[in-house]
Amino acid sequence: MKLLLFSAGLCLALAITPARGDTNFFPVTLEVHAGQSLGPLTPTWRFFGYDEADYTYMKDGKKLLSELGALEGPQVFIRCHHLLTSGDGAYSLKFSSTSAYKEDANGNPVYDWSINDKIFDTYLARGLKPYVEIGFMPEALSTHPQNYPQHPPVNDRAPVDGGQAYPPKDYAKWEELVYQWTKHCVARYGADEVAKWYWETWNEPNISYWKASREDYFKLYDYSVAGVRRALPNAKVGGPETAGGPGGHFLAEFLTHCATGTNYATGRVGSPLDFISFHAKGSPQWVDGHVRMGMAHQFENINDAFSVIAAFPQFKGLPIVIGESDPEGCAACNDPQDGYRNGTLYASYTAASFPRELELAARYGVNFEGALTWAFEFEDQPPFAGYRALASDGIDLPVLNVFRMFSKMSGDRVAVEGGTGYDAEKILDGGVRTTPDVNALAAYDKTKSQFTVLVWHYHDDDVPGPDAAVDLVFDQLPLKNGRATLTQYRIDADHSNAYETWLHMGSPQMPTEKQYSQLEKAGQLVQFGKPLKLFIRDGKADIHFILPCHGVSLFVINL
């Protein structure tokens, strides 16, 4: 039986099936085969990160972290840079600092974990867990401290290749620093708790974040792991967080070192490795006055890295975390090609890309555990300043609502057919540059007797396009005949979208208290209309709805 979904004021237009040739709509059929399980749905969405560690315990940082902690489903992990960068808590764009390590006049270590404790305490109080990045180099240990950042202007981007990017002058002191830090965490939070965290060494050592050779990085990794494991033998350690997927030959050489190389810290063969991490970025462009996304580039990074990992049988089964997984490479930039961030283009890109990453993992038979979204919030900035973020000035962006949608999905993936013909392979070959990508991710949670279906309407180009008239067809439902409750959540120009609300207000740079309250409300994930009854006959049901370009819908069906 067909169910028509519409919003008040548009009943007649949406209740009529578009006529053949109507350019305002195009038909799409999505078939959900409810009885065809594809295995457990991996919650790859549950990782987030950012450059500026000291934003963590500030007002808007704590507010956003509370919202991430409130996401439904499995454990959420948080990664940030600069946990060992020297300073007094000073921060700027792409820079932050802690007081973790100094040396006295005689060169003896002086440890101060007060700022790091504030960061981890903030996470844990909100039900979040650290994805610990061991870096960057403290000033007193750096082989090149002469250009070490101290107090960069808060609205300027600090250099990533300053004194904090150099190797230690004494690797034994570096290992002891990591050991003392891990030991302190175990004492403060408990061994059982800290064993659940990820501990990874450095960030993007194949580019300017590491001013030394790859062999020097392997040495840093070995000494870092030795320090962590000396304090907590069952700690979860990994790396190498390469930029550009495999980073050329870097990832392969790192895995070879971990498999058969001589450990710099222990002298034994090989290095401990519990998870593998790399970064994958898209490549948007400014074309003919609009943003054109580059999802294909991001998929190339992922595909190439998965291919390298699959070639190492001893590591193929290890968990893989894409330690930064984003539409482009600079969260703190706001150039014309970055103009996708505030609206639904970022939301629909995120909805469309995560399921296809699962497809790429299946292609290589690797253990893909998660993709970490490098987006957070930026303090001291006006509303919707254009940075890559989940919230702006304490107001949630539409993309955060995609993660709220993902968090409502659980159980087993079920097969979906149809759509407009895109899959990971096709996007890898040329992006989404011709017809739009309309497709779905579906799951069934038997314990809840609940189906969830995420449907997106995506195109690489940020230009107006026709709506999709979608038939969402179910078969093989476990309830043969009867009624189910259907709830739809929606992200589009009029729903779950504080940015459009702000534009309609006239783009106030200092919203009034009433306006701010309205924006906060508009930033939440909202239902599209009221819950409805879905009639099921012979294990089949049919939902018809209209999804605008760059819109995303989540259907929750309770049997």
Side-chain angles (χ1 to χ4, degrees):
M1 181 174 182
K2 183 169 289 189
L3 180 66
L4 299 178
L5 301 181
F6 45 83
S7 60
L10 297 176
C11 302
L12 181 61
L14 296 186
I16 298 174
T17 301
R20 187 183 300 273
D22 188 339
T23 58
N24 294 319
F25 302 92
F26 62 96
V28 180
T29 299
L30 292 167
E31 299 177 2
V32 179
H33 303 303
Q36 296 183 27
S37 173
L38 302 178
L41 175 66
T42 305
T44 57
W45 53 267
R46 61 197 175 102
F47 297 82
F48 302 91
Y50 47 101
D51 289 79
E52 302 83 3
D54 293 289
Y55 288 174
T56 301
Y57 48 81
M58 296 181 181
K59 177 176 66 70
D60 289 339
K62 290 193 292 186
K63 181 179 181 180
L64 177 54
L65 289 167
S66 294
E67 296 193 69
L68 294 178
L71 292 173
E72 301 176 41
Q75 182 65 58
V76 173
F77 289 86
I78 308 293
R79 174 180 183 243
C80 63
H81 294 338
H82 296 291
L83 291 172
L84 296 179
T85 301
S86 292
D88 56 6
Y91 62 90
S92 66
L93 300 182
K94 297 187 73 64
F95 178 80
S96 198
S97 62
T98 73
S99 53
Y101 184 89
K102 300 181 181 67
E103 292 182 358
D104 64 19
N106 297 318
N108 297 311
V110 178
Y111 304 109
D112 178 359
W113 309 116
S114 56
I115 295 177
N116 299 70
D117 288 348
K118 286 174 64 177
I119 293 167
F120 288 174
D121 288 354
T122 302
Y123 295 161
L124 294 167
R126 288 157 177 78
L128 305 163
K129 295 198 185 301
Y131 183 110
V132 184
E133 178 184 309
I134 304 172
F136 294 118
M137 194 57 58
E139 184 175 17
L141 273 181
S142 174
T143 55
H144 190 77
Q146 291 85 353
N147 63 339
Y148 207 94
Q150 294 295 339
H151 291 84
V154 296
N155 290 327
D156 288 351
R157 293 199 299 273
V160 301
D161 57 354
Q164 77 277 17
Y166 285 79
K169 61 186 180 182
D170 186 325
Y171 279 89
K173 283 188 174 182
W174 171 260
E175 180 189 332
E176 186 66 18
L177 165 61
V178 177
Y179 164 72
Q180 291 292 341
W181 187 21
T182 311
K183 179 183 175 183
H184 171 78
C185 290
V186 170
R188 186 175 181 87
Y189 305 113
D192 289 344
E193 170 62 36
V194 179
K196 298 172 185 175
W197 304 358
Y198 295 79
W199 292 81
E200 59 88 4
T201 301
W202 219 255
N203 176 69
E204 300 183 337
N206 59 317
I207 60 172
S208 56
Y209 282 94
W210 179 242
K211 304 297 287 185
S213 70
R214 67 186 59 184
E215 286 295 332
D216 290 324
Y217 172 75
F218 301 160
K219 186 175 182 179
L220 186 83
Y221 178 85
D222 290 348
Y223 277 93
S224 300
V225 168
V228 173
R229 285 286 181 86
R230 184 152 57 96
L232 185 64
N234 63 334
K236 189 186 304 181
V237 297
E241 301 286 343
T242 45
H249 297 292
F250 197 108
L251 178 59
E253 292 185 13
F254 171 76
L255 295 178
T256 299
H257 172 74
C258 290
T260 60
T262 300
N263 189 298
Y264 286 96
T266 67
R268 294 192 289 268
V269 174
S271 300
L273 185 64
D274 299 316
F275 65 94
I276 302 169
S277 54
F278 63 87
H279 298 175
K281 307 286 184 173
S283 181
Q285 299 174 312
W286 184 252
V287 179
D288 297 331
H290 72 272
V291 176
R292 172 175 288 171
M293 304 299 282
M295 189 182 289
H297 188 272
Q298 184 176 3
F299 283 15
E300 287 172 7
N301 286 174
I302 298 169
N303 184 76
D304 292 350
F306 283 170
S307 175
V308 169
I309 295 167
F312 286 80
Q314 63 271 59
F315 297 137
K316 187 176 179 180
L318 288 183
I320 298 168
V321 179
I322 306 175
E324 295 181 20
S325 182
D326 301 291
E328 38 66 40
C330 182
C333 302
N334 54 2
D335 298 314
Q337 67 268 24
D338 301 323
Y340 68 89
R341 294 164 168 176
N342 286 328
T344 57
L345 181 55
Y346 189 12
S348 58
Y349 181 106
T350 301
S353 61
F354 270 73
R356 273 50 185 276
E357 292 167 4
L358 291 170
E359 293 177 26
L360 291 172
R363 176 184 184 183
Y364 290 100
V366 295
N367 182 11
F368 176 39
E369 185 163 289
L372 191 149
T373 297
W374 198 256
F376 189 56
E377 62 90 21
F378 288 84
E379 298 285 337
D380 312 306
Q381 302 297 330
F384 309 104
Y387 299 120
R388 186 182 344 115
L390 302 175
S392 175
D393 194 29
I395 301 162
D396 297 342
L397 299 180
V399 67
L400 181 54
N401 287 313
V402 174
F403 293 103
R404 290 184 171 122
M405 288 179 169
F406 278 131
S407 79
K408 293 180 179 294
M409 304 185 74
S410 59
D412 286 352
R413 287 178 66 198
V414 295
V416 178
E417 291 186 324
T420 52
Y422 284 92
D423 57 13
E425 291 286 345
K426 184 173 180 180
I427 296 174
L428 184 62
D429 287 342
V432 185
R433 301 291 172 84
T434 53
T435 57
D437 173 24
V438 182
N439 215 315
L441 173 71
Y444 175 51
D445 192 326
K446 187 175 181 180
T447 61
K448 297 179 181 178
S449 296
Q450 183 182 85
F451 280 92
T452 47
V453 185
L454 182 78
V455 185
W456 59 84
H457 180 174
Y458 173 74
H459 197 282
D460 275 346
D461 288 286
D462 189 16
V463 295
D467 296 346
V470 183
D471 271 315
L472 186 59
V473 180
F474 293 82
D475 60 24
Q476 306 172 32
L477 288 165
L479 178 63
K480 296 302 179 184
N481 295 284
R483 292 187 299 177
T485 301
L486 172 68
T487 304
Q488 182 185 179
Y489 298 89
R490 170 65 68 84
I491 303 169
D492 60 21
D494 301 315
H495 302 87
S496 312
N497 192 332
Y499 178 60
E500 287 292 333
T501 301
W502 179 73
L503 293 177
H504 290 318
M505 287 179 176
S507 308
Q509 294 301 295
M510 297 183 66
T512 65
E513 184 175 342
K514 181 179 180 181
Q515 287 174 325
Y516 193 86
S517 179
Q518 291 173 337
L519 291 169
E520 284 185 303
K521 183 178 180 181
Q524 297 299 304
L525 180 63
V526 297
Q527 291 184 19
F528 189 75
K530 296 180 179 179
L532 301 170
K533 293 299 180 183
L534 177 65
F535 292 88
I536 300 171
R537 293 179 181 172
D538 298 323
K540 299 178 180 180
D542 187 358
I543 302 168
H544 177 74
F545 65 103
I546 304 300
L547 188 62
C549 186
H550 298 131
V552 185
S553 276
L554 175 72
F555 293 92
V556 180
I557 300 170
N558 291 297
L559 301 178

